[in-house]
Amino acid sequence: MTTDGLTLAVSGLTLGLTRDRRARPLVEDLSFGVARGEMLAFVGESGSGKSLTAAAIFGLLPAGVQRIAGSIRVNGSELTTLSERRLRAWRGRDMGLIFQNPLTALSPSVGVQAQIAETYRVHKGGTRDAARARARALLAEVGLKALATGGDSYPHQLSGGMRQRVMIALAAACDPALIVADEPTTALDVLIQAQILDLLARLQRERGLAVVFITHDLRLAARYADRILVLYAGRAVEEGDAAQFFTAPRHPYSRALRDAIPTIPATGGRLTEIPGQPPEPRALPAGCRFAPRCPNVGDDCRRTEPAMTFDGTRFACLHPCAKMS
Amino acid sequence: MREDVVSSGLRVEGLSVEYAAKRGLGRTRGDTHKALADVGFILPTGQTLGVVGESGSGKTTLGHAVLRMTPVSRGRILWDGVDLATLSDRDLRPYRRQMQLVFQDPYEAMNPRMSIGRIIAEPLLLAYGLDRHARREQALRLLKQVGLDESLLGRRPRALSGGQRQRVTLARALATAPRLLVLDEPTSGLDVSLQARVLNLLRDLQTDKGLSYLFISHDLAAVAYIAQRLLVLFQGRVMEQGPTDALLRHPAHPYTAALLAAQPSAVPGRAPKDPAPAMNPVADPVPGACVYYQWCGKALPRCRMEAPDLTSLGADHLVACHYPGHETTSIH
């Protein structure tokens, strides 16, 4: 993969447990890139490594997990070799992170205007007044005009959707090149969910942001993202154009994720279940990790771990689904 | 409703739940907050009624009110013709076994220090006073029924995945052999693959046992899969109700249409045409106006002057809108 011109370029990223270096990695040999103005969606079940990858990009891996190999470049600069001090300057300034639960990410005792202004001043300097004015402009930009004027509001006074808008304003405060949104709407109602993702997509377009959107819902990924990357048990199993992806996924796991979703109006048939559970990192099967749950499985799948191949989309499967399903 | 019309199943009429409003600016003592206003529906035995709406629409209150878990201000809850709303707690007890609630967050609904076996068997002790041996036997049977392995019996809730926990709460709800389940967002915390499994399981249980479901959710796709009829709530009022298919193909109320448009569709690369409405959820309603007036993209002067009644749109389809639209939605 060429990394020229990519806002985010990750290659060969491997994450594993610190204590047990012989254990199989939690995320293995993951490579992807996101260009300016592009949205890439990470899709997969809980435990597939979506959030860990996001944490690794920001240098915020939880205790006990470390990067074993791989490079992470933002605008051409390697982040993995930066000191914590230098990395702290990158976070917030060049890349913003939006969490699933804004209440844990926002300070409960500081007004939201003040929080955004502080973030801005830490990274960009300037006067308090200028930073406050910038915070108000940002709040207005994310559709919170009521919070942009007059006195400041505390996070607890806001609804879940409003808090998530504040998070977006905070993430976008210093004009970052990259925003990573980790399940930003999981706790929200459908209407609010649509509003938040519309807003994110608008910022992506208007400001030319590179966005990584993490979700377990293939529908949301298909609706908002340009490209989709499906993760299973720590490995990329398929990556491709969002539209093509939904009509003709090649990896049986991608297809299973798609077919598990009920449609409107209902078709009347049963939903397709994915039998079994994702494997524990400690007990990964030999060969393809999806083999024990796969409808297309063959004997060869249990021996060799398939490599990524390109045919319409990039996928790692020995017995892929037909090109048009 | 005449007394001689006794239908089997659940029939709710004019159900209202009101709380004393917080005193604040412009509010005087004695004001009430209407969590539910004049809600009515029929849920025939063996069928599913989907209740949809946003947070604060009264979905959960409706589920709780039907089970008499929250005080009912007015209205009737007819269960096989018996009005549960008027029964004393004592008289209500035999009916409680027949109706069970499945909570949204299974983890919060379980005692983390109890084993899965005890969690499932507890209702059996409370309702029937079964001995330990019989309880264990029943717990095993229930566990099997929801597709879980008996090895889970001795585990704590912490050791289970989200999907397994949700099935445990389902097993517990089934312990007293209920006829009605109130399911409050049973799949909203689950991954799509687990959601499919829970929805299929619910459908199988319904077919096997003739259960009735009051299925509360904001996910229209899940509701479309499981419910024959839909009830759309907004701020405690019924906006629209009718057969699921008709409602989703031709939503008559602008709010139903907005919910549908916000639903993540299977149409890739297509962001919604209309930005979703409803930005300021704390605005006080305009007195005398339609409750949806401030959010409605199609509101006309009449909507401000006069709140629409729930009127029939033919074939079992009711809508509370002066200008119900028969437009096709953006979802195909």
Side-chain angles (χ1 to χ4, degrees), chain A residues 46 189 195 222-223 270 274 276, chain B residues 55 191 193 197 204 263 269 277:
Chain A
S46 310
D189 279 340
Q195 289 169 5
R223 183 165 174 171
R270 271 177 86 80
I274 310 177
Chain B
S55 308
D191 275 352
S193 55
R197 206 176 290 178
D204 293 345
Q263 194 68 32

Side-chain angles (χ1 to χ4, degrees), chain B residues 117-118 120-140 142:
Chain B
R118 263 186 78 194
I120 295 176
E122 200 176 29
L124 295 167
L125 176 67
L126 296 174
Y128 304 115
L130 291 185
D131 65 38
R132 179 195 283 259
H133 187 72
R135 289 207 305 271
R136 189 186 152 80
E137 214 159 83
Q138 287 294 313
L140 272 173
L142 291 162

Side-chain angles (χ1 to χ4, degrees), chain B residues 8-267:
Chain B
S8 103
L10 180 67
R11 180 182 196 104
V12 167
E13 295 169 1
L15 188 66
S16 298
V17 173
E18 294 172 0
Y19 302 108
K22 271 193 204 157
R23 288 170 67 191
L25 281 176
R27 288 202 177 101
T28 48
R29 195 195 290 260
D31 270 7
T32 53
H33 170 71
K34 295 183 174 62
L36 278 183
D38 205 18
V39 173
F41 61 83
I42 297 171
L43 173 54
T45 301
Q47 290 212 7
T48 301
L49 175 74
V51 181
V52 295
E54 292 166 279
S55 308
S57 62
K59 305 190 296 286
T60 298
T61 306
L62 176 61
H64 287 190
V66 164
L67 298 174
R68 285 274 314 266
M69 287 170 64
T70 197
V72 171
S73 307
R74 274 185 305 283
R76 312 210 295 167
I77 305 162
L78 297 164
W79 176 246
D80 289 351
V82 180
D83 188 358
L84 301 183
T86 59
L87 294 185
S88 67
D89 281 350
R90 195 190 164 85
D91 292 339
L92 199 60
R93 208 172 278 171
Y95 294 99
R96 290 221 190 265
R97 283 177 207 168
Q98 300 179 21
M99 319 170 111
Q100 291 290 331
L101 176 68
V102 176
F103 289 92
Q104 172 171 2
D105 185 337
Y107 192 58
E108 301 217 330
M110 292 180 194
N111 184 336
R113 296 170 63 171
M114 274 160 71
S115 70
I116 299 303
R118 263 186 78 194
I119 288 170
I120 295 176
E122 200 176 29
L124 295 167
L125 176 67
L126 296 174
Y128 304 115
L130 291 185
D131 65 38
R132 179 195 283 259
H133 187 72
R135 289 207 305 271
R136 189 186 152 80
E137 214 159 83
Q138 287 294 313
L140 272 173
R141 187 183 57 83
L142 291 162
L143 213 52
K144 200 177 281 174
Q145 215 162 65
V146 296
L148 290 176
D149 195 78
E150 62 179 86
S151 66
L152 295 183
L153 216 52
R155 303 259 189 95
R156 311 279 149 179
R158 223 168 57 118
L160 270 56
S161 72
Q164 288 175 327
R165 281 182 206 146
Q166 191 55 278
R167 279 180 279 172
V168 168
T169 53
L170 200 56
R172 177 174 59 181
L174 293 171
T176 58
R179 293 170 49 212
L180 171 77
L181 289 185
V182 174
L183 300 145
D184 191 356
E185 304 263 16
T187 60
S188 63
L190 303 178
D191 275 352
V192 281
S193 55
L194 292 172
Q195 172 179 308
R197 206 176 290 178
V198 170
L199 288 176
N200 281 340
L201 172 65
L202 285 172
R203 230 155 87 155
D204 293 345
L205 287 170
Q206 181 163 56
T207 318
D208 289 354
K209 298 172 181 287
L211 294 172
S212 309
Y213 294 150
L214 195 65
F215 188 93
I216 298 165
S217 180
H218 67 257
D219 182 356
L220 275 176
V223 172
Y225 180 69
I226 200 143
Q228 288 85 23
R229 296 178 55 79
L230 277 187
L231 182 79
V232 181
L233 283 179
F234 183 79
Q235 298 206 344
R237 274 97 175 157
V238 177
M239 296 290 104
E240 187 168 5
Q241 67 166 299
T244 304
D245 214 46
L247 225 84
L248 295 181
R249 281 181 199 279
H250 307 289
H253 199 283
Y255 181 60
T256 315
L259 282 177
L260 255 175
Q263 194 68 32
S265 68
V267 186

Side-chain angles (χ1 to χ4, degrees), chain A residues 3 10 16 28 36 74 144 155 168 192 199 222 236 238 246 281 290 293 296 300 303-304 316:
Chain A
T3 55
V10 171
E28 193 171 338
R36 199 180 128 77
V74 172
L144 295 172
I168 293 176
I192 311 296
L199 169 64
E238 186 165 7
F246 214 79
F290 188 58
R293 306 173 76 188
N296 293 9
D300 43 354
R303 289 193 300 270
T304 34

